[in-house]
Amino acid sequence: MQRPAWRQALAQAFTDLPSLLAYLEIDPSALADTAHADRQFALRVPREFATLMRKGDPDDPLLRQVMPDSREMAPTPGFCADPVGDRHAKGSPGLLHKYHGRALIIATGACAVHCRYCFRRHYPYTGGTATPRQWREILDYLKADPSIEEVIFSGGDPLMISDHRLKAWLEQLQGLPQLKRLRLHTRLPVVLPQRITPELTGLLQSCRLSTVTVIHANHPNELSPAVEHGCQKLTEAGTRLLNQSVLLKGVNDDSETLARLSKRLFEIGVMPYYLHLLDRVAGAAHFDLDESVILRLQRQLHAKLPGYLMPKMVREIAGEDSKTPFQSVVELPGSRHTPG
Ligand SMILES: *Cc1c(COP(=O)(O)O)cnc(C)c1O
Ligand code: SF4
């Protein structure tokens, strides 16, 4: 069988920094020391995503998301390997059941892009896709708890799995009468829009469950015409599109950029859902922002957008029974008229 085009594109992704920098026409000496940070968490960037980066600009907001940095190697107090408590969550191998009614399946550990801020960068994936045995255990877990009515495919990136296997899994899930909704959490529609194959949209279209696809874009520059086209095909397949972002210092930490992101998402048929405050995962401290800065940002963004384009700003706190909203009710001294 011929490899699908998206697999071929994936095989051509940048996996070493010198090639990526050469392509971007960036002089390596213009960059902060990377100090082998990519040995701990490899560099990985699909070519199509790299074409959206500005040539010659080491501060490009897309490049910053994927660029290994020596600061990742410095231990920082408060930043740990498992900031959201996944290793102690209820479930079975490959399944996290933290919140009422929803179970999250780690469908695979693989991703098309390696985001330096990823909270799962240290997650002990058993490697590759869930095994048939794990999958049986997952189904048994779901059957044993009829309060679960939504399954979330996450990872890694669940769309790294072949359409063939997705089809088999979906068929089994659809056989569970308790399930109402299926959700995909995936960055592939953004970093590899070719992944939206006719087979995939066909699967979504024919699914008995209501489907929700949560894409992951952090900056408006990520939303190219190809991404728009892919989202259009997903919409036509009847899946509802949402976006989640992570608030990242040096990438999207200004209200102008975030407002443009929300408006561009809306233009391509995607509603802003979450704007996550950074999970305090070891290696990501250089993306963190002060709470006072975040509060100001939240206010400025709210003032720029219609309410329905305002993402919910949340933090994930281990042990809580939902994501925790970031409260803007605290009055920050002197913040009301802060310019900027
Ligand atoms: C974030 C998350 C969910 C989904 O939460 P929503 O608020 O419904 O988007 C479900 N399970 C786990 C383990 C999660 O981390
Ligand atoms: S899980 Fe998501 S955030 Fe983490 S590396 Fe993969 S695509 Fe990036």
Side-chain angles (χ1 to χ4, degrees):
M1 203 171 78
Q2 219 207 325
R3 267 207 306 189
W6 65 271
R7 286 249 189 244
Q8 290 175 31
L10 210 53
Q12 285 155 11
F14 290 105
T15 51
D16 71 282
L17 192 57
S19 328
L20 176 63
L21 293 181
Y23 167 76
L24 292 172
E25 297 162 16
I26 293 173
D27 176 3
S29 65
L31 290 168
D33 180 18
T34 63
H36 312 306
D38 54 338
R39 280 192 206 154
Q40 193 194 61
F41 186 48
L43 176 130
R44 183 163 194 165
V45 186
R47 278 176 190 267
E48 193 156 348
F49 192 63
T51 63
L52 305 175
M53 298 173 185
R54 290 187 292 258
K55 292 272 171 91
D57 182 1
D59 295 326
D60 178 85
L62 277 52
L63 176 60
R64 281 204 164 156
Q65 296 177 47
V66 298
M67 179 70 202
D69 187 309
S70 62
R71 289 173 293 179
E72 293 173 31
M73 311 295 277
T76 312
F79 284 74
C80 63
D82 182 26
V84 300
D86 276 357
R87 288 180 206 186
H88 299 104
K90 207 156 63 115
S92 83
L95 179 140
L96 293 169
H97 186 198
K98 286 193 191 174
Y99 303 151
H100 179 76
R102 289 149 288 168
L104 183 148
I105 295 175
I106 310 253
T108 169
C111 291
V113 64
H114 286 175
C115 315
R116 308 313 296 179
Y117 53 84
C118 182
F119 75 102
R120 294 219 172 100
R121 54 182 287 161
H122 306 284
Y123 193 81
Y125 294 115
T126 45
T129 312
T131 62
R133 168 142 176 250
Q134 273 177 354
W135 181 248
R136 267 198 314 279
E137 285 169 2
I138 287 171
L139 286 175
D140 288 342
Y141 185 94
L142 295 173
K143 278 183 211 158
D145 186 348
S147 76
I148 298 171
E149 50 180 42
E150 175 170 353
V151 160
I152 302 171
F153 276 169
S154 181
D157 198 308
L159 290 187
M160 291 291 276
I161 291 169
S162 70
D163 290 325
H164 180 72
R165 192 185 298 250
L166 278 176
K167 180 164 188 271
W169 285 1
L170 279 190
E171 274 164 8
Q172 284 171 299
L173 288 175
Q174 289 177 84
L176 304 183
Q178 72 200 69
L179 291 186
K180 305 271 189 292
R181 296 180 303 280
L182 171 79
R183 197 189 317 179
L184 299 174
H185 277 188
T186 172
R187 193 145 158 69
L188 278 177
V190 174
V191 301
L192 199 76
Q194 286 156 295
R195 177 64 187 90
I196 318 301
T197 57
E199 290 75 22
L200 177 67
T201 50
L203 275 178
L204 290 168
Q205 192 140 33
S206 63
C207 188
R208 157 186 88 73
L209 310 167
S210 305
T211 67
V212 180
T213 303
V214 184
I215 67 168
H216 172 177
N218 299 314
H219 193 284
N221 292 3
E222 293 169 43
L223 302 174
S224 66
V227 173
E228 177 168 16
H229 184 64
C231 287
Q232 198 178 345
K233 285 191 284 183
L234 287 169
T235 301
E236 284 163 11
T239 184
R240 264 166 276 199
L241 285 167
L242 304 173
N243 179 64
Q244 55 180 346
S245 313
V246 182
L247 184 59
L248 300 165
K249 186 176 180 176
V251 173
N252 58 7
D253 56 336
D254 71 281
S255 58
E256 191 54 48
T257 301
L258 290 170
R260 277 201 293 129
L261 173 62
S262 272
K263 291 182 211 174
R264 176 70 182 139
L265 284 165
F266 184 71
E267 227 168 56
I268 68 172
V270 183
M271 293 305 284
Y273 180 36
Y274 280 146
L275 175 55
H276 294 275
L277 306 202
L278 185 74
D279 292 312
R280 300 222 162 97
V281 64
H286 58 292
F287 290 114
D288 202 26
L289 292 159
D290 278 349
E291 293 222 335
S292 61
V293 174
I294 300 173
L295 256 176
R296 196 170 303 135
L297 243 167
Q298 184 179 43
R299 256 191 217 136
Q300 290 170 342
L301 186 58
H302 226 147
K304 286 190 163 83
L305 287 173
Y308 59 89
L309 292 188
M310 182 72 194
K312 294 189 223 305
M313 291 173 72
V314 293
R315 193 189 285 288
E316 182 159 356
I317 300 176
E320 293 294 312
D321 55 13
S322 71
K323 311 277 188 248
T324 304
F326 181 74
Q327 296 298 350
S328 56
V329 288
V330 194
E331 199 49 49
L332 198 66
S335 66
R336 284 219 160 259
H337 303 288
T338 312

